[in-house]
């Protein structure tokens, strides 16, 4: 016979738990003449059986049912399925923690977070120690903070000798410039890169061009290019983030942004940059859009992963109008603009494939190039000429 304290010690349960079990009829204590409660060997073994059933994930009520009647097979199957789901969920949780510790790839997690909460994603990356430039690049290039440093080193190796870091051509830049309602005297070029469009703009007018990029090496090459073109006196360079531009409201007649607004989100760019334009000022912006309502599965899967915010021309126009712009003109970048970008890039990738065979950056770029080689009938860059209302 066991007193309640002895029984509690035997099974590792509290006195109050045993009293609750007795109330449910799981055990049957007897009160002795001295007032103490006494429990039998049968009570002890019944409690141990109960604990074994609980170890199988059964609730107390389900355990009681199993103790008092034949085991309900359907009950056990249902409980097993629930446990399988819990185990799968916990495995996903463990996989995420392991990825955050660098034990596996974190790319899919970054991509899902970018779609669900892009602003919070950027803020979180910066809290992890990345500056804004690194965080913006990580969002759109490596998408894995644990491999970002090596990814970016490889990415820079691929692009450092190339003039163009995105689709574009001198002819398309001039075409867009000639669609402006008037010749500007002040231009803010955002995401200017190495200054290919900058020198074209400088040759089209006498405007003072403030060229902004968050890559100082690119700005250095821009200054050299402007000097060689004899337009250095028209160009002011500024190393800054496109999300936090250090200029007063109504400072510019034209904002020029070729292929860069996607980094902060085109809709965000439309809203945030508008304040920098003078009354009646114009934003020239190009963005990757769908030209088909039914793109191929391969292309749709690729761009949904690489650019989840990609949409149609019509949707971008609606966003521009909602942000306070009048759409003056819109046209699609020429095939020449794509070829000027991807043909030199393909040549560069071919040169480096052997020496960088394990590089994820070069694999990602080749996948993108494979999409380009299929043609541009389903997608392309669209130039929008937008006037501030």
């Amino acid at each position: 016979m066991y007193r309640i304290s002895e029984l509690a010690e035997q099974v590792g349960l509290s006195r109050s738990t045993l009293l609750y079990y007795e109330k449910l009829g799981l055990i049957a204590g007897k009160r002795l003449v001295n007032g103490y409660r006494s429990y039998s060997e049968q009570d002890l073994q019944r409690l141990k059986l109960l604990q074994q059933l609980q170890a199988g994930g059964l609730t107390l009520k389900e355990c009681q049912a199993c103790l008092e009647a034949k085991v309900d097979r359907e009950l056990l199957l249902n409980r097993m399925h629930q446990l399988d789901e819990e185990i799968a969920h916990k495995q996903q949780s463990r996989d995420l923690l392991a990825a955050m510790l660098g034990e596996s790839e974190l790319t899919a997690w970054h991509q899902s977070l970018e779609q669900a909460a892009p602003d919070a994603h950027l803020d979180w990356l910066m809290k992890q120690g990345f500056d804004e430039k690194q965080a913006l690049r990580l969002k759109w290039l490596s998408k894995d903070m644990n491999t970002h440093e090596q990814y970016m080193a490889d990415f820079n190796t691929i692009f450092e000798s190339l003039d163009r870091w995105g689709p574009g051509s001198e002819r398309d830049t001039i075409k867009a410039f000639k669609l402006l309602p008037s010749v500007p005297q002040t231009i803010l070029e955002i995401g200017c890169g190495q200054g290919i469009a900058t020198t074209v703009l400088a040759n089209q007018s006498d405007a003072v061009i403030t060229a902004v990029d968050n890559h100082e090496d690119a700005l250095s090459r821009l200054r050299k290019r402007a000097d060689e073109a004899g337009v250095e006196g028209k160009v002011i360079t500024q190393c800054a983030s496109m999300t936090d531009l250090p200029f007063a409201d109504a400072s510019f007649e034209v904002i020029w942004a070729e292929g860069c607004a996607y980094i902060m989100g085109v809709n965000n760019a439309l809203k945030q940059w508008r304040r920098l334009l003078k009354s009646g000022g114009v934003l020239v912006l190009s963005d990757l859009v769908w030209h088909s309502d039914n793109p191929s599965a391969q292309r749709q899967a690729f761009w949904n992963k690489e650019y989840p915010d990609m949409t149609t021309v019509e949707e971008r126009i609606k966003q521009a109008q909602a942000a306070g712009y009048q759409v003056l003109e819109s046209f699609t970048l020429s095939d020449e603009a794509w070829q000027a970008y991807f043909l030199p890039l393909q040549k560069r990738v071919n040169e480096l494939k052997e020496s960088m065979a394990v590089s994820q950056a070069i694999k990602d770029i080749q996948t993108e190039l494979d999409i380009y080689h299929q043609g541009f009938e389903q997608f392309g860059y669209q130039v929008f000429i937008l006037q501030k209302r």
Side-chain angles (χ1 to χ4, degrees), residues 69-138:
K70 185 178 179 180
V71 170
D72 183 341
R73 182 175 177 81
E74 188 66 27
L75 173 81
L76 298 184
L77 283 172
N78 288 338
R79 178 57 62 188
M80 186 171 68
H81 291 325
Q82 291 178 21
L83 284 173
D84 285 341
E85 291 175 0
E86 292 173 13
I87 290 168
H89 180 73
K90 289 184 181 298
Q91 184 61 50
Q92 290 177 350
S93 300
R94 190 196 181 284
D95 290 344
L96 173 57
L97 293 176
M100 293 178 75
L101 290 167
E103 295 178 11
S104 60
E105 188 179 278
L106 198 57
T107 303
W109 183 77
H110 282 294
Q111 290 169 349
S112 64
L113 185 56
E114 186 58 33
Q115 293 186 48
D119 294 338
H121 185 205
L122 177 63
D123 183 63
W124 184 81
L125 288 171
M126 293 174 67
K127 284 183 170 64
Q128 307 316 303
F130 297 100
D131 62 33
E132 188 171 43
K133 177 175 71 175
Q134 293 170 328
L136 286 170
R137 285 185 156 198
L138 195 158

Side-chain angles (χ1 to χ4, degrees), residues 195-261:
I196 295 179
T198 315
T199 54
V200 175
L201 295 172
N203 284 322
Q204 293 300 305
S205 73
D206 292 325
V208 175
I209 303 171
T210 302
V212 175
D213 201 277
N214 60 9
H215 196 303
E216 186 57 53
D217 289 343
L219 292 175
S220 178
R221 293 177 70 175
L222 183 155
R223 289 189 288 269
K224 182 179 179 182
R225 187 186 300 275
D227 182 57
E228 292 171 349
V231 297
E232 69 279 5
K234 299 180 181 180
V235 179
I236 301 169
T237 58
Q238 175 81 48
C239 189
S241 166
M242 67 176 65
T243 64
D244 187 23
L245 295 166
F247 307 112
D249 292 357
S251 294
F252 303 96
E253 295 167 73
V254 169
I255 294 177
W256 203 274
E258 292 192 21
C260 65

Side-chain angles (χ1 to χ4, degrees), residues 173-333:
T173 298
I174 293 173
K175 179 179 178 179
F177 188 86
K178 289 184 175 180
L179 290 172
L180 296 176
S182 61
V183 178
Q185 296 301 306
T186 55
I187 299 175
L188 172 63
E189 186 186 5
I190 300 173
C192 60
Q194 302 175 86
I196 295 179
T198 315
T199 54
V200 175
L201 295 172
N203 284 322
Q204 293 300 305
S205 73
D206 292 325
V208 175
I209 303 171
T210 302
V212 175
D213 201 277
N214 60 9
H215 196 303
E216 186 57 53
D217 289 343
L219 292 175
S220 178
R221 293 177 70 175
L222 183 155
R223 289 189 288 269
K224 182 179 179 182
R225 187 186 300 275
D227 182 57
E228 292 171 349
V231 297
E232 69 279 5
K234 299 180 181 180
V235 179
I236 301 169
T237 58
Q238 175 81 48
C239 189
S241 166
M242 67 176 65
T243 64
D244 187 23
L245 295 166
F247 307 112
D249 292 357
S251 294
F252 303 96
E253 295 167 73
V254 169
I255 294 177
W256 203 274
E258 292 192 21
C260 65
Y262 77 95
I263 294 173
M264 63 181 289
V266 173
N267 211 20
N268 287 336
L270 290 169
K271 296 172 183 177
Q272 292 185 31
W273 297 347
R274 185 178 180 275
R275 70 171 184 84
L276 301 174
L277 287 170
K278 295 182 178 182
S279 179
V282 176
L283 169 60
V284 180
L285 178 150
S286 64
D287 183 45
L288 190 64
V289 297
W290 288 114
H291 287 155
S292 170
D293 293 330
N294 297 294
S296 68
Q298 182 184 13
R299 290 176 183 176
Q300 188 163 33
F302 176 80
W303 288 118
N304 283 349
K305 175 183 174 184
E306 295 302 314
Y307 186 16
D309 193 39
M310 185 172 168
T311 187
T312 61
V313 174
E314 292 74 18
E315 182 60 29
R316 285 292 181 238
I317 287 176
K318 289 179 183 178
Q319 291 174 349
Q321 292 169 335
Y325 298 90
Q326 176 186 355
V327 181
L328 300 181
E329 297 283 352
S330 174
F331 68 90
T332 303
L333 278 190

